[in-house]
């Protein structure tokens, strides 16, 4: 026994520094990604909702003022985030129904695959919304391909959104808690015979729909899409935050021996907003404010777990949102009525669905205890840049995409961000270069009536100086024709739109 002990202690000596060295090179990476959280929604970005746990990270990390999602809605932004490819290059990257097939190719390069190739364990917890299966899905069998086929070793997700069926958790391709005697069927075109709907059975509703959201009813909430069966597997909306938090905490505890990448894609504050009773009424702003406080609490509890497990110094945290804020996104939930003086999108124009700044410019910060110096950074950075930047962090490279290596910017060692960025909303694109933002001519309704948001469409070209005019009030296109043409040319080159380039004369 003594001999064994001394051999062990001899062996232990040189191993310790080796472990220390490799853990610096490959920190755990946690990506906390909210759904519809606007640029001005959290206190550290000027919001009136108290978010002390998120603020503590943002104020002690690099807080970006020019951080962008690639798109003003969920699916395209998530596609860009995970692949490094602009979503407008993929015609399927638009808001998906719950039955849509997977839109990331299983052979495609992804952020989790890149990290896995250098020894990371990878997980996605909560919202997926990138499609599942390759055609018609049988929800009663293993659902594949999905997150596990594009780089995640572990997945526990919602198929699409909280307002879309199926309203079940899917863990590694299997519906959680499904009773084989009550199979689940999903359809987005027609209802199943005899099943109530939000439209025909208002007496069954405890949350009323404003637009859309009038198909199947689950837990008294009308949803998008039709479902039959699988009752046992339905989630409890008010418990969703706790459910995913526990999954995230357990994942960390069970995978701390090797570096891990956790994509914690929280569902708040997307509709339907269903805070746990602990948070009801807490914000004074109605359920939308309450679920933001709930999300903040989850972040705090999750950070406590990292601390308890002694992992905080060795974990890079990236925080952002998939698109900007919307108030009434289809249910009567007092989001507009109880807003008070809170400005969910700060000073930015537009909102979710918009080519104006509030569509894609979102809260975005990094935190790494002891490694990152607290600062505010004005560098232009986009979520697609995580692929190249994190590859640089872990010492590998990736095939070229639209992603750029901004590792120094992410870690607060440089303020030299991107020179330009293409933004997307409703499959239309806009172009940011330096301080300038160009929106091409898009005839069509300027306001998306149902959500009351200006989406940026206009028959005129629009040109804004974001440094001087963050609220995009002064269209300078007519005043600066030469600059307008120059920007158009660069923009059409990036987009590969050569027909348009030929039309431009640079006088
Ligand atoms: C829209 C829904 C909206 C929301 C959005 C997706 C209607 C009328 N509106 O179609 O409520 O679910 O899709 O949001 O159905 S996202 O953040 O996931 O992109
Ligand atoms: Ca969203």
């Amino acid at each position: 026994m003594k001999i064994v002990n001394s051999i062990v202690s001899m062996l232990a000596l040189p191993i310790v520094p080796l472990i220390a060295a490799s853990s610096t090179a490959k920190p755990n990476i946690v990506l906390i990604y909210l759904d519809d959280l606007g640029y001005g929604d959290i206190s550290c970005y000027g919001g009136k909702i108290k978010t002390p746990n998120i603020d503590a990270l943002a104020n002690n990390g690099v807080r970006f003022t020019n951080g962008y999602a690639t798109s003003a809605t969920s699916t395209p932004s998530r596609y860009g985030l995970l692949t490094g490819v602009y979503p407008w290059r993929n015609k399927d990257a638009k808001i998906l129904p719950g039955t849509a097939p997977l839109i990331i190719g299983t052979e495609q390069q992804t952020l989790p695959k890149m990290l896995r190739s250098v020894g990371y364990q990878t997980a996605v917890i909560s919202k997926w919304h990138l499609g599942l299966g390759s055609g018609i899905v049988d929800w009663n069998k293993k659902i594949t391909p999905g997150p596990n086929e594009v780089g995640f070793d572990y997945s526990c997700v919602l198929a699409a959104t909280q307002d879309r069926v199926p309203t079940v958790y899917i863990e590694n391709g299997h519906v959680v808690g499904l009773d084989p005697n009550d199979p689940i069927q999903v359809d987005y075109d027609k209802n199943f015979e005899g099943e109530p709907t939000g439209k025909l059975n208002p007496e069954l509703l405890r949350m009323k729909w404003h637009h859309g959201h009038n198909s199947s009813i689950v837990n008294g909430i009308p949803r998008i899409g039709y479902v039959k069966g699988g009752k046992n597997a339905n989630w409890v909306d008010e418990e969703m935050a706790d459910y995913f938090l526990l999954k995230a905490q357990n994942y960390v505890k069970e995978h701390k021996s090797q570096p891990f990448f956790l994509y914690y894609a929280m569902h708040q504050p997307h509709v339907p907003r269903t805070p746990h009773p602990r948070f009801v009424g807490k914000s004074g702003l109605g359920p939308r404010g309450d679920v933001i406080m709930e999300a903040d609490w989850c972040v705090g509890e999750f950070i406590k777990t990292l601390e308890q497990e002694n992992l905080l110094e060795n974990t890079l945290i990236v925080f952002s949102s998939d698109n900007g804020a919307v108030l009434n996104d289809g249910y009567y939930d007092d989001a507009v009525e109880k807003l008070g003086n809170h400005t969910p999108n700060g000073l930015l124009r537009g909102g979710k669905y918009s080519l104006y700044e509030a569509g894609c410019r979102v809260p975005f910060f990094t935190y790494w205890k002891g490694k990152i110096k607290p600062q505010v950074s004005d560098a232009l950075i986009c979520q697609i840049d995580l692929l190249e930047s994190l590859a640089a962090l872990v010492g590998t490279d990736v095939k070229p995409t639209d992603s750029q290596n901004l590792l120094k910017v992410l870690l607060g060692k440089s303020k030299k961000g991107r020179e330009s960025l293409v933004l997307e909303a409703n499959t239309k694109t806009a172009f940011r270069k330096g301080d300038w933002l160009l929106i091409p001519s898009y005839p069509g309704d300027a306001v998306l009536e149902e959500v009351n948001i200006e989406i940026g469409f206009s028959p005129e070209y629009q040109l804004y100086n974001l440094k001087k005019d963050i609220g995009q009030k002064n269209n300078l296109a007519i005043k600066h024709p030469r600059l307008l043409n120059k920007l158009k040319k660069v923009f059409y080159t990036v987009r590969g739109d050569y027909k348009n380039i030929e039309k431009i004369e640079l006088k």
Side-chain angles (χ1 to χ4, degrees):
M1 190 62 182
K2 251 192 180 159
I3 297 169
V4 174
N5 272 345
S6 58
I7 291 173
V8 168
S9 57
M10 268 164 61
L11 283 175
L13 279 176
I15 288 174
V16 173
L18 273 183
I19 291 176
S22 66
S23 63
T24 326
K26 294 197 178 70
N28 306 307
I29 300 168
V30 175
L31 172 55
I32 301 176
Y33 202 62
L34 272 79
D35 193 358
D36 295 2
L37 186 76
Y39 187 75
D41 260 332
I42 44 183
S43 345
C44 52
Y45 279 85
K48 295 283 185 297
I49 300 166
K50 285 201 183 78
T51 50
N53 297 298
I54 297 174
D55 297 349
L57 301 176
N59 293 333
N60 289 292
V62 186
R63 185 172 70 79
F64 293 101
T65 59
N66 284 283
Y68 285 83
T70 50
S71 174
T73 54
S74 157
T75 300
S77 284
R78 285 160 208 266
Y79 179 83
L81 172 80
L82 293 182
T83 64
V85 175
Y86 278 133
W88 46 265
R89 296 195 194 280
N90 181 342
K91 64 170 184 19
D92 296 326
K94 48 185 192 232
I95 301 174
L96 295 178
T99 44
L102 180 67
I103 61 161
I104 300 178
T106 50
E107 72 305 322
Q108 208 173 330
Q109 167 174 273
T110 65
L111 182 57
K113 273 192 198 170
M114 176 278 289
L115 291 169
R116 201 157 69 173
S117 75
V118 292
Y120 276 76
Q121 314 166 85
T122 56
V124 52
I125 288 173
S126 198
K127 180 172 175 175
W128 180 239
H129 212 193
L130 288 161
L132 293 169
S134 48
I136 292 165
V137 167
D138 182 345
W139 302 89
N140 305 286
K141 297 194 176 137
K142 183 163 187 190
I143 304 155
T144 184
N148 298 63
E149 285 67 40
V150 294
F152 291 103
D153 301 318
Y154 174 78
S155 66
C156 184
V157 297
L158 322 178
T161 58
Q162 199 189 333
D163 53 352
R164 283 175 173 75
V165 297
T167 46
V168 296
Y169 300 127
I170 301 167
E171 193 168 29
N172 292 325
H174 295 281
V175 172
V176 176
L178 186 66
D179 175 358
N181 297 316
D182 181 25
I184 178 170
Q185 287 170 270
V186 184
D187 196 310
Y188 269 71
D189 294 328
K190 55 177 194 325
N191 193 14
F192 299 94
E193 219 182 301
E195 293 296 311
T197 63
K199 197 170 190 176
L200 300 175
N201 304 84
E203 74 285 0
L204 299 178
L205 303 181
R206 66 181 168 102
M207 195 186 281
K208 292 206 169 14
W209 57 277
H210 175 271
H211 57 272
H213 307 95
N214 56 17
S215 315
S216 284
I217 304 167
V218 182
N219 303 335
I221 302 174
R223 317 273 170 163
I224 307 173
Y226 303 101
V227 64
K228 183 181 163 76
K231 294 237 167 4
N232 214 33
N234 279 332
W235 64 52
V236 177
D237 292 85
E238 288 75 5
E239 289 173 8
M240 187 175 285
D242 287 355
Y243 178 84
F244 284 128
L245 170 64
L246 193 63
K247 291 279 172 192
Q249 290 172 315
N250 285 342
Y251 183 81
V252 163
K253 289 181 192 163
E254 287 160 16
H255 296 82
K256 59 183 173 187
S257 59
Q258 228 181 298
F260 59 79
F261 167 59
L262 171 59
Y263 170 35
Y264 183 12
M266 299 172 74
H267 64 287
Q268 301 102 330
H270 195 282
V271 295
R273 294 147 184 154
T274 51
H276 188 279
R278 296 194 305 279
F279 296 95
V280 172
K282 285 284 183 288
S283 68
L285 271 69
R288 184 172 188 279
D290 296 346
V291 296
I292 292 177
M293 290 186 72
E294 178 188 72
D296 179 71
W297 175 83
C298 290
V299 170
E301 292 304 296
F302 179 75
I303 297 297
K304 272 189 212 159
T305 303
L306 289 177
E307 265 167 352
Q308 281 154 9
E309 299 299 325
N310 231 341
L311 296 171
L312 205 53
E313 276 92 350
N314 192 31
T315 303
L316 167 65
I317 295 166
V318 181
F319 178 102
S320 201
S321 170
D322 66 343
N323 53 254
V326 54
L327 294 174
N328 179 344
D329 206 12
Y331 295 98
Y332 288 95
D333 65 1
D334 282 346
V336 176
E337 293 77 359
K338 293 196 171 164
L339 186 64
N341 59 354
H342 175 62
T343 47
N345 290 307
L347 298 173
L348 308 180
R349 186 171 179 183
K352 179 176 178 177
Y353 309 108
S354 181
L355 274 179
Y356 289 128
E357 287 298 286
C360 300
R361 202 194 296 205
V362 284
F364 191 149
F365 61 80
T366 53
Y367 172 85
W368 188 351
K369 192 176 178 190
K371 281 272 170 20
I372 286 182
K373 287 208 191 87
Q375 60 196 276
V376 175
S377 174
D378 295 337
L380 178 59
I381 187 166
C382 176
Q383 293 161 6
I384 41 170
D385 300 323
L386 289 175
L387 178 72
E388 282 271 359
S389 308
L390 296 179
L393 174 73
V394 302
T396 185
D397 44 30
V398 284
K399 283 185 236 140
T401 56
D402 298 302
S403 185
Q404 294 184 7
N405 177 0
L406 297 182
L407 180 61
K408 285 190 183 150
V409 175
L410 265 189
L411 300 183
K413 292 179 181 155
S414 160
K415 298 229 157 130
K416 203 176 167 332
R418 295 182 148 257
E419 284 181 1
S420 66
L421 178 68
V422 181
L423 303 173
E424 189 262 345
N426 308 296
T427 71
K428 303 285 189 292
T429 47
F431 188 54
R432 170 139 185 202
K433 185 152 174 22
D435 293 331
W436 294 95
L437 195 277
L438 163 78
I439 307 179
S441 139
Y442 294 124
D445 292 340
V447 175
L448 188 56
E449 208 71 62
E450 52 193 30
V451 291
N452 192 24
I453 286 177
E454 287 182 299
I455 52 172
F457 288 10
S458 161
E460 312 296 330
Y461 271 77
Q462 298 176 71
L463 181 65
Y464 298 99
N465 183 323
L466 296 176
K467 193 155 196 179
K468 295 191 184 140
D469 176 25
I470 197 176
Q472 297 178 295
K473 294 196 174 75
N474 304 311
N475 180 3
L476 301 176
I478 291 175
K479 201 170 165 198
H480 297 297
R482 198 180 143 79
L483 176 65
L484 180 71
N485 273 351
K486 244 171 115 175
L487 287 176
K488 276 188 197 171
K489 199 158 188 176
V490 188
F491 176 49
Y492 292 136
T493 310
V494 175
R495 287 228 39 176
D497 195 347
Y498 298 103
K499 265 194 232 132
N500 270 323
I501 299 169
E502 280 158 22
K503 284 190 221 150
I504 300 170
E505 280 174 47
L506 277 181
K507 283 189 198 117

